[in-house]
Amino acid sequence: MNRFAGKVAFVTGGGHGIGRATAGRLAAEGAAVVLADLDLDAAQRAAADLRAAGRTASAVRLDITDRASVEAAVADSVDGRLDVLVNTAGGDYASVDPMQGDEPWTQLQDLNLTGTVRCIRACRPALLADPDGGAVVTVGSINGLVAFGSDPYSAAKAGLSCLTLDLAARYAARGLRFNLVAPGTVRARNRDGQPGALDGLTRCYPLGRIGEPEDIAAAITFLASGDASWMTGVVLPVEGGVQTGPMAHLARH
């Protein structure tokens, strides 16, 4: 497929995990991709790998918790027009207790909700200049839809779902689409060096495994493409059946 030929995509968190897999999928389908990440070295390595494969890719440093960094990253890498924005940057701190005080709560809201707003705000003028209608796809979480714990993170991800619906309604008349993918457990670098750490979670998933970054990248790429041109305001769970499977209750304990 060549669904993104001639298009430009900006992927936050592009140096690792879901962001890197998504950038690779978009580039393989013809997009010129900008991999934006706080870990610039990782983003540069990922971009170099794509270029070595004959793709068009560049890297830029991005700290989504810093407005100036977001604005500079977009200004330095987007030349007036942008077709696709993918928001994957974010994270959780498993040890955070929201009852400890305002600081951990505020930090996780800033990282997972407000940071995404900063990226959308900075990219909005270029996205609206897309004559074919731009697309924003944000990575939320199954935590934002059902009770899986990690209260501050889950609340922020739920906020992303509401934000997606509101922006979809606001910008539909201008051709700019907003959709969200809500993954279940996905293999990520924070599990590196922990052999078997995810094995116990597979029993929660009726499809018999946890997700891979490529599973989420496939859904993101579909929602960003012309194949989804009549879809906006969608919150799409990509979670191996964990919400409805007979073992779903295990994920909550």
Side-chain angles (χ1 to χ4, degrees):
M1 292 185 290
N2 208 29
R3 294 180 294 185
F4 297 92
K7 295 187 179 295
V8 179
F10 188 94
V11 182
T12 76
H16 297 278
I18 293 171
R20 180 169 182 163
T22 301
R25 182 72 179 260
L26 290 166
E29 294 196 31
V33 294
V34 179
L35 291 81
D37 203 297
L38 183 62
D39 185 348
L40 179 58
D41 288 343
Q44 289 175 329
R45 288 194 298 271
D49 288 345
L50 289 175
R51 291 194 297 271
R55 317 303 186 193
T56 302
S58 61
V60 66
R61 185 183 183 278
L62 173 72
D63 179 356
I64 65 170
T65 67
D66 183 338
R67 177 178 175 180
S69 173
V70 173
E71 292 176 349
V74 173
D76 290 347
S77 57
V78 176
D79 187 17
R81 175 182 166 182
L82 181 65
D83 302 281
V84 176
L85 167 63
V86 179
N87 296 300
T88 80
D92 190 17
Y93 311 123
S95 62
V96 169
D97 179 355
M99 299 297 105
Q100 289 179 346
D102 288 347
E103 186 172 353
W105 181 277
T106 301
Q107 287 176 343
L108 281 171
Q109 301 307 301
D110 193 36
L111 177 61
N112 290 289
L113 178 56
T114 309
T116 295
V117 173
R118 291 186 185 102
C119 295
I120 294 171
R121 184 191 301 128
C123 291
R124 179 179 53 184
L127 287 164
L128 289 171
D130 184 348
D132 299 322
V136 177
V137 184
T138 296
V139 174
S141 173
I142 198 66
N143 285 55
L145 304 181
V146 294
F148 281 117
S150 191
D151 302 355
Y153 174 80
S154 298
K157 292 299 188 178
L160 287 176
S161 297
C162 293
L163 176 71
T164 296
L165 297 177
D166 288 340
L167 293 179
R170 179 177 302 175
Y171 288 101
R174 302 182 69 177
L176 179 55
R177 299 183 298 111
F178 289 83
N179 293 296
L180 180 139
V181 172
T185 304
V186 175
R187 193 177 309 279
R189 56 178 170 147
N190 62 351
R191 303 288 186 173
D192 290 348
Q194 303 177 48
L198 295 173
D199 292 346
L201 293 176
T202 60
R203 61 182 178 160
C204 302
Y205 290 87
L207 287 180
R209 64 176 178 88
I210 63 166
E212 300 293 340
E214 291 75 15
D215 295 318
I216 313 307
I220 292 170
T221 306
F222 164 69
L223 288 172
S225 76
D227 289 340
S229 63
W230 208 43
M231 298 175 68
T232 194
V234 168
V235 174
L236 177 63
V238 184
E239 38 69 282
V242 71
Q243 291 185 90
T244 55
M247 303 294 283
H249 69 282
L250 294 174
R252 297 173 171 84
H253 302 286

